[in-house]
Amino acid sequence: MFILGIETSCDETAAAVVKDGATILSSVVSSQVEVHHRYGGIVPELASRKHVEAIVPIVGEAMENCGMSLNQIDAIAVTRGPGLVGALLVGFSYAKASAYALDIPWVGVNHLEGHIKSVFLEENPPPFPFTALLASGGHTSIYYVTSHTSFEIMGQTRDDAAGEAFDKVAKILDLGYPGGVVIDKLSKKGDSNIIKFPRPYLEKSTFDFSFSGIKTAVNRYIMRNQDNYKNQITDIVAGFQEAVVEVLAYKIIHAAREKKCRHIALVGGVAANSRLREKVRENAASNGLTVHIPSLHLCGDNAAMIAAVGYHYLKAGKTSGLSDDVFSRSR
Ligand code: KG4
Ligand code: ZN
């Protein structure tokens, strides 16, 4: 089954063609980073406008890259939520209209489920059940995944998402947006042992997270060291990154142990973080667990993961209708 995936929940316009929920034939991601960069964060109204401009050419590019035409597509899968409503509506309306015109089924899918399923686009996907840590700009959650269409949430952030903390710390230090990539790179030049930041909830038995305290601690450190903090940027970001990574790595290992399952998936934009990838692999190895982390291009938002989710719902006979709508928050 050839599925056209569409993703417009945030600041990436993406389209992909995926065969049988596992083989990527083409995947195009058009980032709006340049548009939002000067504002230090995403401006929802601008995001919607850019999606409107990009959606038709990006789908066209995805079709061209795999040498197929739209009438060879069997179904469409599109992100329904969570995300920015105005942004979601662009992809959702496009999918509705195209499916109607092509007279093919379509299904709206959960963006978070998309991230979880990104590991199925790689070779050797995890067997069920597995625990997944989803860390992105909008979410930080741990899931117990039991099948292609069922999963339960074990814990989630009570305030900032991990990626949001990276972005906010980068903004405080004037390092640019999005902050994760910059902090990852700068941390390699710093020493994470020089400045210690708090590890919230580390010792608690909950699988929930809290990251706003680390961000505040970084802010306080800067206030107290107004004169010389600029000479310590690499050590500050390395210390901050290590605090976030230690909490994330500890919780996902313990979630797997609690569920007595041997496989872990690390997904979402923050799964691109080199220190997190390294630390989770180290901790998993010492606990006899296997780790599945997608390649970098599948960690961030993309439409292939949306097609991968859609495939299993469509196969189970689940489709969406013209009266269905997008949703903004996790549910
Ligand atoms: O999954 P994603 O592309 O979009 C959302 O659904 O949110 O995640 C974006 C987030 C941003 O906060 C970005 O700073 C973070 O992922 N990110 C990283 C890295 N690359 C992207 N965070 C830490 N280290 C990275 N290398
Ligand atoms: Zn995402």
Side-chain angles (χ1 to χ4, degrees):
M1 190 194 289
F2 295 106
I3 297 184
L4 169 64
I6 293 173
E7 154 65 40
T8 63
S9 67
C10 195
D11 61 344
E12 259 102 27
T13 315
V17 178
V18 175
K19 184 171 178 257
D20 297 336
T23 311
I24 302 175
L25 303 184
S26 68
S27 178
V28 182
V29 180
S30 165
S31 172
Q32 302 177 357
V33 162
E34 289 309 315
V35 179
H36 303 287
H37 189 267
R38 55 190 287 214
Y39 304 102
I42 296 164
V43 185
E45 183 56 33
L46 281 180
S48 316
R49 261 191 263 162
K50 287 289 152 191
H51 284 306
V52 171
E53 285 169 24
I55 186 78
V56 173
I58 292 302
V59 170
E61 200 177 322
M63 299 313 301
E64 202 178 306
N65 289 355
C66 65
M68 288 175 72
S69 66
L70 277 176
N71 50 30
Q72 290 172 287
I73 292 294
D74 297 304
I76 298 176
V78 60
T79 306
R80 188 174 176 196
L84 304 166
V85 167
L88 286 161
L89 273 172
V90 178
F92 205 68
S93 312
Y94 177 90
K96 255 187 202 179
S98 306
Y100 184 73
L102 294 163
D103 195 21
I104 54 175
W106 69 286
V107 64
V109 307
N110 185 316
H111 179 83
L112 308 179
E113 223 176 319
H115 278 298
I116 296 172
K117 294 300 150 57
S118 59
V119 283
F120 289 91
L121 295 162
E122 299 285 3
E123 280 177 22
N124 303 319
F128 296 110
F130 62 91
T131 50
L133 168 65
L134 162 61
S136 71
H139 298 86
T140 303
S141 321
I142 291 183
Y143 298 98
Y144 179 55
V145 187
T146 47
S147 84
H148 276 296
T149 51
S150 56
F151 58 93
E152 75 183 56
I153 189 157
M154 294 178 69
Q156 60 189 317
T157 185
R158 298 192 182 185
D159 41 55
D160 291 355
E164 192 179 352
F166 272 92
D167 296 339
K168 284 181 176 168
V169 165
K171 194 169 177 179
I172 297 170
L173 295 169
D174 210 14
L175 302 175
Y177 169 85
V181 185
V182 190
I183 290 182
D184 191 347
K185 215 161 138 191
L186 283 177
S187 296
K188 293 195 169 98
K189 296 184 196 147
D191 183 341
S192 61
N193 292 311
I194 300 202
I195 308 157
K196 281 272 177 193
F197 291 110
R199 268 81 168 142
Y201 288 7
L202 187 61
E203 70 296 343
K204 296 202 178 132
S205 58
T206 169
F207 292 111
D208 282 351
F209 301 94
S210 165
F211 292 110
S212 75
I214 310 184
K215 175 197 66 191
T216 309
V218 173
N219 217 348
R220 224 180 286 124
Y221 184 86
I222 292 167
M223 294 299 173
R224 274 204 310 266
N225 297 276
Q226 288 281 1
D227 302 333
N228 62 339
Y229 85 87
K230 287 208 166 132
N231 303 320
Q232 302 177 299
I233 297 280
T234 54
D235 292 336
I236 294 172
V237 293
F240 159 76
Q241 176 177 275
E242 197 60 26
V244 174
V245 163
E246 193 177 327
V247 176
L248 291 172
Y250 178 88
K251 299 259 173 187
I252 184 59
I253 300 292
H254 280 259
R257 291 179 60 141
E258 161 131 339
K259 290 290 186 186
K260 298 190 171 44
C261 67
R262 289 187 34 243
H263 296 268
I264 288 176
L266 188 60
V267 298
V270 181
N273 185 272
S274 55
R275 179 65 185 133
L276 179 64
R277 294 167 90 93
E278 179 183 62
K279 180 112 184 162
V280 171
R281 283 193 177 115
E282 276 170 19
N283 291 6
S286 55
N287 281 279
L289 304 170
T290 311
V291 188
H292 301 260
I293 314 176
S295 337
L296 294 186
H297 70 280
L298 290 172
C299 289
D301 288 348
N302 65 86
M305 67 185 195
I306 302 303
V309 177
Y311 171 73
H312 293 281
Y313 283 100
L314 288 158
K315 224 173 68 168
K318 188 177 179 294
T319 57
S320 296
L322 288 179
S323 60
D324 285 346
D325 207 351
V326 299
F327 63 92
S328 62
R329 298 175 67 96
S330 313
R331 54 182 192 176

